[in-house]
Short mmCIF file of all heavy atoms in Angstrom, two decimals:
data_model
loop_
_atom_site.label_atom_id
_atom_site.label_comp_id
_atom_site.label_asym_id
_atom_site.label_seq_id
_atom_site.Cartn_x
_atom_site.Cartn_y
_atom_site.Cartn_z
N ILE A 328 11.83 18.55 23.88
CA ILE A 328 12.14 18.76 25.29
C ILE A 328 11.94 17.46 26.07
O ILE A 328 12.71 17.14 26.99
CB ILE A 328 11.29 19.91 25.86
CG1 ILE A 328 11.81 21.25 25.30
CG2 ILE A 328 11.32 19.92 27.39
CD1 ILE A 328 10.99 22.45 25.72
N ALA A 329 10.91 16.69 25.72
CA ALA A 329 10.69 15.40 26.39
C ALA A 329 11.87 14.46 26.14
O ALA A 329 12.31 13.75 27.06
CB ALA A 329 9.39 14.77 25.88
N LEU A 330 12.41 14.46 24.93
CA LEU A 330 13.59 13.66 24.64
C LEU A 330 14.80 14.17 25.42
O LEU A 330 15.62 13.37 25.89
CB LEU A 330 13.88 13.67 23.14
CG LEU A 330 12.92 12.87 22.26
CD1 LEU A 330 13.18 13.16 20.78
CD2 LEU A 330 13.04 11.37 22.54
N TRP A 331 14.91 15.48 25.56
CA TRP A 331 16.00 16.06 26.36
C TRP A 331 15.89 15.61 27.81
O TRP A 331 16.89 15.21 28.43
CB TRP A 331 15.95 17.58 26.25
CG TRP A 331 16.84 18.30 27.22
CD1 TRP A 331 18.21 18.42 27.15
CD2 TRP A 331 16.44 19.00 28.40
NE1 TRP A 331 18.68 19.16 28.22
CE2 TRP A 331 17.61 19.52 28.99
CE3 TRP A 331 15.20 19.24 29.00
CZ2 TRP A 331 17.57 20.25 30.18
CZ3 TRP A 331 15.16 19.98 30.17
CH2 TRP A 331 16.34 20.47 30.75
N ARG A 332 14.70 15.66 28.36
CA ARG A 332 14.51 15.23 29.75
C ARG A 332 14.85 13.75 29.92
O ARG A 332 15.33 13.33 30.98
CB ARG A 332 13.07 15.49 30.20
CG ARG A 332 12.73 16.96 30.39
CD ARG A 332 11.38 17.11 31.09
NE ARG A 332 10.97 18.49 31.23
CZ ARG A 332 11.42 19.32 32.18
NH1 ARG A 332 12.31 18.88 33.07
NH2 ARG A 332 11.00 20.56 32.24
N ALA A 333 14.63 12.98 28.88
CA ALA A 333 14.93 11.55 28.96
C ALA A 333 16.40 11.25 28.71
O ALA A 333 16.82 10.08 28.76
CB ALA A 333 14.07 10.79 27.93
N GLY A 334 17.19 12.29 28.46
CA GLY A 334 18.62 12.11 28.23
C GLY A 334 18.98 11.71 26.82
O GLY A 334 20.14 11.40 26.53
N ARG A 335 18.02 11.77 25.88
CA ARG A 335 18.26 11.33 24.52
C ARG A 335 18.64 12.47 23.58
O ARG A 335 19.07 12.22 22.46
CB ARG A 335 17.04 10.58 23.98
CG ARG A 335 16.76 9.28 24.75
CD ARG A 335 15.51 8.61 24.26
NE ARG A 335 15.60 8.24 22.85
CZ ARG A 335 14.56 7.83 22.13
NH1 ARG A 335 13.35 7.74 22.70
NH2 ARG A 335 14.71 7.51 20.85
N LEU A 336 18.46 13.71 24.03
CA LEU A 336 18.88 14.88 23.25
C LEU A 336 19.66 15.82 24.18
O LEU A 336 19.15 16.85 24.62
CB LEU A 336 17.67 15.63 22.67
CG LEU A 336 17.00 15.10 21.41
CD1 LEU A 336 15.82 15.98 21.04
CD2 LEU A 336 17.98 15.00 20.24
N PRO A 337 20.91 15.51 24.49
CA PRO A 337 21.67 16.35 25.43
C PRO A 337 22.15 17.64 24.77
O PRO A 337 23.35 17.87 24.59
CB PRO A 337 22.84 15.43 25.81
CG PRO A 337 23.05 14.56 24.62
CD PRO A 337 21.67 14.32 24.06
N VAL A 338 21.21 18.51 24.44
CA VAL A 338 21.54 19.71 23.66
C VAL A 338 22.41 20.69 24.45
O VAL A 338 23.08 21.54 23.84
CB VAL A 338 20.26 20.41 23.17
CG1 VAL A 338 19.44 19.47 22.29
CG2 VAL A 338 19.41 20.91 24.33
N GLU A 339 22.43 20.59 25.76
CA GLU A 339 23.28 21.48 26.56
C GLU A 339 24.76 21.29 26.22
O GLU A 339 25.57 22.20 26.43
CB GLU A 339 23.04 21.27 28.05
CG GLU A 339 23.51 19.95 28.62
CD GLU A 339 22.58 18.78 28.38
OE1 GLU A 339 21.50 18.99 27.77
OE2 GLU A 339 22.93 17.66 28.81
N LYS A 340 25.11 20.13 25.64
CA LYS A 340 26.50 19.90 25.26
C LYS A 340 26.92 20.70 24.03
O LYS A 340 28.10 20.72 23.68
CB LYS A 340 26.73 18.41 25.03
CG LYS A 340 26.59 17.58 26.31
CD LYS A 340 26.94 16.12 26.08
CE LYS A 340 26.83 15.33 27.39
NZ LYS A 340 27.18 13.89 27.20
N LEU A 341 25.96 21.34 23.39
CA LEU A 341 26.27 22.19 22.24
C LEU A 341 26.69 23.59 22.65
O LEU A 341 27.16 24.37 21.82
CB LEU A 341 25.07 22.28 21.29
CG LEU A 341 24.43 20.96 20.84
CD1 LEU A 341 23.36 21.23 19.80
CD2 LEU A 341 25.47 19.99 20.32
N LEU A 342 26.51 23.93 23.91
CA LEU A 342 26.84 25.27 24.40
C LEU A 342 28.35 25.47 24.45
O LEU A 342 29.07 24.71 25.10
CB LEU A 342 26.25 25.50 25.79
CG LEU A 342 24.78 25.89 25.87
CD1 LEU A 342 24.29 25.83 27.30
CD2 LEU A 342 24.57 27.28 25.28
N THR A 343 28.80 26.51 23.77
CA THR A 343 30.22 26.86 23.78
C THR A 343 30.52 27.85 24.89
O THR A 343 31.53 27.73 25.59
CB THR A 343 30.63 27.48 22.43
OG1 THR A 343 30.38 26.53 21.39
CG2 THR A 343 32.10 27.86 22.43
N SER A 344 29.65 28.86 25.07
CA SER A 344 29.92 29.90 26.07
C SER A 344 28.64 30.64 26.39
O SER A 344 27.66 30.61 25.62
CB SER A 344 30.97 30.89 25.55
OG SER A 344 30.48 31.57 24.40
N ILE A 345 28.65 31.32 27.54
CA ILE A 345 27.55 32.20 27.96
C ILE A 345 28.18 33.55 28.28
O ILE A 345 29.09 33.63 29.12
CB ILE A 345 26.81 31.63 29.18
CG1 ILE A 345 26.23 30.25 28.84
CG2 ILE A 345 25.71 32.58 29.62
CD1 ILE A 345 25.59 29.55 30.03
N SER A 346 27.71 34.61 27.63
CA SER A 346 28.37 35.91 27.72
C SER A 346 27.34 37.03 27.83
O SER A 346 26.16 36.83 27.53
CB SER A 346 29.22 36.17 26.46
OG SER A 346 30.11 35.11 26.21
N PRO A 347 27.76 38.23 28.24
CA PRO A 347 26.86 39.38 28.24
C PRO A 347 26.65 39.88 26.81
O PRO A 347 27.46 39.64 25.91
CB PRO A 347 27.59 40.41 29.09
CG PRO A 347 29.03 40.04 28.98
CD PRO A 347 29.07 38.55 28.86
N LEU A 348 25.56 40.60 26.59
CA LEU A 348 25.24 41.14 25.27
C LEU A 348 26.33 42.08 24.77
O LEU A 348 26.54 42.19 23.55
CB LEU A 348 23.89 41.87 25.32
CG LEU A 348 23.36 42.45 24.01
CD1 LEU A 348 23.17 41.36 22.96
CD2 LEU A 348 22.06 43.20 24.26
N SER A 349 27.03 42.73 25.65
CA SER A 349 28.07 43.69 25.26
C SER A 349 29.18 43.05 24.43
O SER A 349 29.91 43.74 23.71
CB SER A 349 28.67 44.36 26.49
OG SER A 349 29.24 43.39 27.36
N GLU A 350 29.32 41.72 24.48
CA GLU A 350 30.38 41.03 23.76
C GLU A 350 29.93 40.49 22.40
O GLU A 350 30.64 39.72 21.76
CB GLU A 350 30.94 39.88 24.61
CG GLU A 350 31.60 40.36 25.90
CD GLU A 350 32.14 39.21 26.74
OE1 GLU A 350 32.21 38.07 26.21
OE2 GLU A 350 32.49 39.44 27.91
N ILE A 351 28.76 40.91 21.94
CA ILE A 351 28.13 40.31 20.77
C ILE A 351 29.00 40.36 19.52
O ILE A 351 29.06 39.39 18.75
CB ILE A 351 26.76 40.96 20.51
CG1 ILE A 351 25.98 40.22 19.42
CG2 ILE A 351 26.88 42.44 20.18
CD1 ILE A 351 25.47 38.89 19.85
N ASN A 352 29.72 41.46 19.29
CA ASN A 352 30.53 41.56 18.07
C ASN A 352 31.70 40.58 18.08
O ASN A 352 31.98 39.91 17.08
CB ASN A 352 31.03 42.99 17.89
CG ASN A 352 29.92 43.93 17.46
OD1 ASN A 352 29.40 43.85 16.35
ND2 ASN A 352 29.55 44.86 18.35
N ALA A 353 32.40 40.48 19.19
CA ALA A 353 33.51 39.53 19.29
C ALA A 353 33.00 38.10 19.17
O ALA A 353 33.69 37.24 18.59
CB ALA A 353 34.25 39.73 20.61
N LEU A 354 31.82 37.82 19.68
CA LEU A 354 31.25 36.49 19.57
C LEU A 354 30.93 36.15 18.11
O LEU A 354 31.06 35.00 17.69
CB LEU A 354 29.98 36.39 20.42
CG LEU A 354 30.16 36.55 21.93
CD1 LEU A 354 28.82 36.56 22.63
CD2 LEU A 354 31.06 35.45 22.49
N MET A 355 30.55 37.17 17.32
CA MET A 355 30.30 36.94 15.90
C MET A 355 31.59 36.52 15.18
O MET A 355 31.56 35.73 14.24
CB MET A 355 29.70 38.19 15.25
CG MET A 355 28.25 38.44 15.60
SD MET A 355 27.17 37.15 14.92
CE MET A 355 25.59 37.63 15.70
N ASP A 356 32.72 37.05 15.61
CA ASP A 356 34.00 36.63 15.03
C ASP A 356 34.25 35.15 15.27
O ASP A 356 34.70 34.42 14.38
CB ASP A 356 35.15 37.45 15.62
CG ASP A 356 35.21 38.86 15.08
OD1 ASP A 356 34.95 39.05 13.88
OD2 ASP A 356 35.51 39.78 15.86
#
Side-chain angles (χ1 to χ4, degrees):
I328 288 176
L330 288 170
W331 169 74
R332 289 191 183 280
R335 295 176 61 191
L336 280 179
V338 301
E339 69 280 358
K340 293 185 178 180
L341 308 186
L342 279 170
T343 301
S344 63
I345 301 174
S346 308
L348 182 60
S349 59
E350 296 180 12
I351 188 72
N352 287 292
L354 296 175
M355 286 294 173
D356 285 321

